[in-house]
């Protein structure tokens, strides 16, 4: 499995920005896909954004145009730039690595993002 460490969460006012980081213990080019998920209190965990080993990205409709996922390959780190934050973006944000069918997915411990109105 891949060890993942998220960072960058915090408290921000609505309209503000944060950048989350997910540092992986393995070369991210051999991770099939790395994604950011979030879970708000009382809600199910949902996909926010993901990037494949080939660089293809996808986003939840609720964050399109506001969030951007990117990566630094030499640092084995995936980022989530979050702009124009809204109170409904408040959640614990998790990083997930999909390494393929022979291994279970790996999850980080999460980082809390709180957006105040």
């Amino acid at each position: 499995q891949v060890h993942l460490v998220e960072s960058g969460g915090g408290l921000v006012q609505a309209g503000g920005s944060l950048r989350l980081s997910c540092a992986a213990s393995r070369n991210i080019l051999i991770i099939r896909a790395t994604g950011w998920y979030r879970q708000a209190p009382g809600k199910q965990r949902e996909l926010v954004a993901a990037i494949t080993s080939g660089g293809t990205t996808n986003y939840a409709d609720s964050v399109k145009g506001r969030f951007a996922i990117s990566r630094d390959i030499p640092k084995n780190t995936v980022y989530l730039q979050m702009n124009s934050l809204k109170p409904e973006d408040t959640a614990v944000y998790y990083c997930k690595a999909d390494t393929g069918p022979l291994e279970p997915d790996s999850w980080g411990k999460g980082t809390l993002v709180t957006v105040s109105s």
Side-chain angles (χ1 to χ4, degrees):
Q1 281 192 307
V2 182
H3 183 56
L4 302 169
V5 178
E6 302 100 333
S7 61
L11 174 63
V12 64
Q13 288 188 330
S17 299
L18 282 175
R19 188 177 78 157
L20 306 183
S21 299
C22 172
S25 62
R26 190 185 296 181
N27 184 342
I28 59 175
L29 289 180
I30 63 172
I31 296 174
R32 188 161 69 175
T34 307
W36 284 98
Y37 290 72
R38 67 186 180 188
Q39 188 166 20
K43 294 189 177 181
Q44 288 190 328
R45 194 171 296 189
E46 62 176 359
L47 174 68
V48 176
I51 185 166
T52 69
S53 57
T56 301
T57 59
N58 68 288
Y59 297 90
D61 288 343
S62 59
V63 306
K64 283 180 181 176
R66 300 189 298 124
F67 291 10
I69 190 168
S70 63
R71 60 187 180 178
D72 186 327
I73 295 169
K75 293 184 178 180
N76 292 325
T77 300
V78 174
Y79 302 100
L80 184 67
Q81 178 67 44
M82 306 186 295
N83 299 325
S84 302
L85 282 161
K86 305 174 181 180
E88 52 263 43
D89 295 317
T90 295
V92 178
Y93 284 70
Y94 298 90
C95 184
K96 188 189 88 168
D98 172 5
T99 50
L102 300 181
E103 291 184 15
D105 293 338
S106 298
W107 290 89
K109 293 185 177 180
T111 185
L112 176 62
V113 172
T114 303
V115 184
S116 63
S117 57

